[in-house]
Amino acid sequence: MPIRTSKTHSANSLGLRFFTRRNGRLESVNGTCGEWVIGKWYKWKGEVQLCKSGFHFCRSPRQSLRYRRGEFFALVEVGDHEGREGRFVTNQMRVLKVYPIETLAIVADCYAICAVASAAAAAYAAYDAAAAAAYA
């Protein structure tokens, strides 16, 4: 079932989701889908609605810290999705890699540093372009 929304994002995006281990199996914290297998695509059956139904995820480690539950977090690939305020929902998802929850703070710090560095690089590029235009 397609996602009903005024703003749907493109497919094949990455995000973060929390998981737990039950009887040695990787499962979603809320128990949907039973066991998750790394690399396997899962499809939500039924309506997809943010904060109510579907596969939920966040785009950045800092955003995901607000929803932290479980012993593990995973890098996930998702299909078409919608969201707001840093939380998203989709009807297609697969787990790419699983990490212990203790490493999330380190990943969040690295993500923040990369975001600042990227913004600084963009600002310098804009300054260089403006300076080059001024002297042309």
Side-chain angles (χ1 to χ4, degrees):
M1 172 176 277
I3 298 174
R4 296 177 307 139
T5 178
S6 58
K7 185 173 183 182
T8 300
H9 301 274
S10 64
N12 299 332
S13 294
L14 299 178
L16 299 173
R17 180 179 172 89
F18 291 100
F19 290 90
T20 190
R21 285 241 187 245
R22 290 189 184 103
N23 300 322
R25 298 170 11 156
L26 183 67
E27 293 188 6
S28 174
V29 174
N30 62 5
T32 57
C33 288
E35 182 177 12
W36 284 72
V37 176
I38 295 173
K40 178 180 175 184
W41 279 101
Y42 291 84
K43 295 186 188 242
W44 184 263
K45 296 174 183 146
E47 183 179 1
V48 175
Q49 190 174 2
L50 188 62
C51 299
K52 292 188 178 178
S53 61
F55 301 126
H56 291 79
F57 67 98
C58 293
R59 284 271 179 87
S60 78
R62 291 246 185 247
Q63 292 166 334
S64 66
L65 286 171
R66 290 188 282 174
Y67 306 104
R68 179 184 166 187
R69 296 180 304 174
E71 307 155 60
F72 304 94
F73 74 99
L75 178 64
V76 295
E77 185 176 8
V78 300
D80 291 340
H81 54 283
E82 66 178 16
R84 66 176 185 276
E85 299 173 9
R87 186 154 186 189
F88 299 88
V89 65
T90 184
N91 62 352
Q92 296 179 71
M93 179 179 285
R94 72 174 169 167
V95 174
L96 299 176
K97 186 144 175 91
V98 178
Y99 302 92
I101 196 69
E102 296 81 16
T103 61
L104 184 59
I106 296 167
V107 172
D109 289 343
C110 292
Y111 186 91
I113 290 167
C114 290
V116 169
S118 178
Y124 286 126
Y127 172 79
D128 287 344
Y135 292 105

